[in-house]
Amino acid sequence: QRPCKQSLFSQLFPNGVNTNYRVVLRGSKVYNPLTALTEWTDNAAAIIRDYIVHPDGMRLPASIVATAQAVTGWSTAATRATATVPLKAGGTEPTYRLWGSYRFDERPADVVGRMLACCDGRLVPTPDGGLTLDIGSWAEPTFTLTEDVIVGINDISMGRDVTTTANVIRAGYMSPLHDYQTTDADQWIDTADVLARGEYAKEVSFIMSPSHGQTRRLMKLESYRANPRWIGTFQCNMRAMAAFTHRFVRVTYPLFGIDEVFEVLDFRFDKGEGDILLGVTLQVQSMPQEAYQWNAAADEGTVPISEFTTVDGTIPLPTGLAVTIERMTVGGVTASYSVLTFDASPNASLKIEAQGKRVTDTAWTAIGVAPDATTATGFITDDISEYEFQLRFVTIAGREGSWTSSYTIVANGSLDFHIVGNSQYLPIF
């Protein structure tokens, strides 16, 4: 922030020390797993990876994202994030981008949490001791929980309790079309369910999502998670260890008529006496393939209307400027002087300033103008020179407008003079 002239201060800082400026910037280059370069990118996987090891982020050792399996996982996540998705208005956009900022006094878990929420992401440990990212993408599960794997079932039910379901998803996102402010996306509404049992709304936040389409895709997933066909917890034997780090598993349990894909919400190790591993427990809920299918025309919704208000901060020009040269005699000495007339200021907050000079001079002479006046007495002139005069408005905060075009007059062009102390008006020849 550089210093400025006093005359420009009120223009640059209209509220003084309380003037707020918003800055739109590219904040940090990050390592891109797809190009192996540190560069500008909004790829969600690249940004999360950078935050995990950044000295102002989670500050984890760089080695944790550099194991062979971790590198493969980050590359896969970055590829999924950059895959293109069609837009209703035409064209495409990357699947998952991240825009935003964070404060240094925030808990790193909170920051990475909102990053993950905006790309349907999960941090996953790898068997070789690394940490990688799984970005949501539908794939038929490679592991199935069957009756010979499941040894116990807890709290299984068809759907959630009615008080914890939602048929309306409301979400905010960071909209570039709305001056980069958090904006409400078009609601995701299950119209049939709302008509059947009333509105049950759920509020979510995707404040690092820079796209309405991306936000609506996340809202669609949130809607399916709020209304799963099945939800439950399965206690499994050691064979279920094969499901470790998997996002989706298929559950086949004929007793309850279950044969569908589930999303793994929690994976816990069950230990016995002496910390002997006995099995694992999986908390799961139904997640059908259609949750990840996308029809831009039907699913993208309507982007909130953006209205840009243009504030006219220009200062008008004074009008009606005219100048005459008058004469007066004081103590037997006759002198010429200028008299300016002009229209009154249209606004009480605009003060008129005047200046004049001999055309051949370079320096201007200020002419005093009384408040609310429509005339002003200028300086002494000679009878042979050409003079020019200008007006401008100045706001009560000191902001200066532009000068008017010069009004030019020749001093000896006057036909009258005024004898001070006498009422006579005499012609000049």
Side-chain angles (χ1 to χ4, degrees):
Q1 180 177 312
R2 299 184 179 93
C4 67
K5 296 180 179 179
Q6 178 64 34
S7 59
L8 296 177
F9 182 84
S10 61
Q11 179 177 351
L12 298 175
F13 304 97
N15 295 323
V17 296
N18 296 316
T19 301
N20 292 324
Y21 278 92
R22 183 177 300 111
V23 178
V24 179
L25 55 83
R26 296 189 299 182
S28 179
K29 292 183 178 181
V30 302
Y31 177 83
N32 189 339
L34 297 180
T35 63
L37 298 174
T38 299
E39 59 188 3
W40 297 115
T41 179
D42 55 8
N43 183 288
I47 291 173
I48 293 173
R49 181 190 180 280
D50 178 80
Y51 183 76
I52 287 174
V53 299
H54 199 282
D56 292 321
M58 295 192 75
R59 300 185 293 277
L60 296 182
S63 59
I64 201 169
V65 297
T67 66
Q69 291 177 331
V71 168
T72 300
W74 286 108
S75 179
T76 299
T79 300
R80 290 178 179 177
T82 199
T84 56
V85 177
L87 296 170
K88 183 168 68 173
T92 61
E93 68 175 359
T95 303
Y96 291 122
R97 296 175 292 159
L98 293 180
W99 293 10
S101 61
Y102 61 88
R103 295 174 56 89
F104 290 165
D105 59 359
E106 290 187 84
R107 293 176 62 247
D110 295 336
V111 178
V112 78
R114 64 175 178 260
M115 290 181 177
L116 294 172
C118 292
C119 65
D120 191 31
R122 295 178 176 184
L123 292 177
V124 180
T126 59
D128 62 354
L131 184 68
T132 193
L133 175 69
D134 174 31
I135 282 183
S137 177
W138 174 262
E140 181 64 32
T142 58
F143 180 80
T144 302
L145 291 182
T146 57
E147 288 181 295
D148 59 343
V149 176
I150 300 171
V151 297
I153 300 176
N154 295 330
D155 303 323
I156 191 168
S157 63
M158 293 191 69
R160 296 185 182 276
D161 181 87
V162 67
T163 60
T164 59
T165 60
N167 49 29
V168 176
I169 305 297
R170 298 177 181 142
Y173 72 107
M174 195 268 287
S175 173
L177 298 179
H178 297 82
D179 202 21
Y180 300 89
Q181 299 299 294
T182 301
T183 305
D184 291 333
D186 192 5
Q187 299 181 113
W188 188 277
I189 303 175
D190 184 343
T191 305
D193 195 56
V194 170
L195 292 175
R197 63 189 184 98
E199 181 179 301
Y200 290 85
K202 181 178 181 179
E203 304 278 349
V204 290
S205 178
F206 302 117
I207 60 173
M208 296 190 78
S209 167
S211 158
H212 186 261
Q214 176 174 326
T215 304
R216 287 278 293 183
R217 293 195 300 274
L218 294 167
M219 293 168 73
K220 181 176 183 178
L221 294 173
E222 196 65 35
S223 176
Y224 275 87
R225 287 170 179 144
N227 299 277
R229 174 177 166 80
W230 290 96
I231 184 170
T233 303
F234 295 90
Q235 293 174 319
C236 306
N237 56 33
M238 293 293 294
R239 292 175 61 186
M241 282 291 295
F244 183 58
T245 75
H246 287 216
R247 178 184 286 258
F248 301 115
V249 296
R250 178 171 289 277
V251 177
T252 302
Y253 203 78
L255 180 63
F256 291 149
I258 299 175
D259 184 11
E260 57 188 84
V261 175
F262 283 69
E263 183 178 27
V264 179
L265 304 180
D266 189 26
F267 190 102
R268 297 193 301 270
F269 297 99
D270 298 329
K271 295 182 179 181
E273 187 176 350
D275 286 336
I276 296 176
L277 185 61
L278 302 178
V280 296
T281 297
L282 280 71
Q283 183 182 356
V284 296
Q285 66 179 20
S286 300
M287 180 57 74
Q289 182 177 1
E290 53 263 30
Y292 283 87
Q293 293 174 338
W294 184 250
N295 182 326
D299 297 340
E300 189 174 312
T302 303
V303 178
I305 296 174
S306 59
E307 297 180 357
F308 291 91
T309 301
T310 302
V311 178
D312 185 4
T314 59
I315 298 176
L317 294 173
T319 58
L321 173 61
V323 183
T324 59
I325 302 297
E326 299 191 8
R327 298 178 185 273
M328 64 179 175
T329 299
V330 179
V333 178
T334 301
S336 302
Y337 64 97
S338 55
V339 176
L340 287 68
T341 59
F342 39 82
D343 296 334
S345 172
N347 192 311
S349 66
L350 296 176
K351 175 186 175 182
I352 294 179
E353 287 189 350
Q355 66 179 8
K357 70 178 182 66
R358 189 182 287 107
V359 170
T360 56
D361 292 342
T362 56
W364 291 86
T365 299
I367 299 173
V369 180
D372 302 322
T374 57
T375 64
T377 300
F379 46 77
I380 299 297
T381 62
D382 59 37
D383 292 336
I384 59 174
S385 300
E386 186 178 20
Y387 292 87
E388 58 181 324
F389 299 87
Q390 297 177 342
L391 300 177
R392 73 176 177 186
F393 284 128
V394 178
T395 68
I396 57 176
R399 186 173 164 219
E400 300 170 346
S402 300
W403 291 102
T404 61
S405 299
S406 292
Y407 185 100
T408 306
I409 187 171
V410 179
N412 62 11
S414 175
L415 296 178
D416 295 317
F417 70 89
H418 178 209
I419 300 177
V420 176
N422 195 316
S423 61
Q424 299 182 54
Y425 287 87
L426 303 175
I428 295 177
F429 299 98

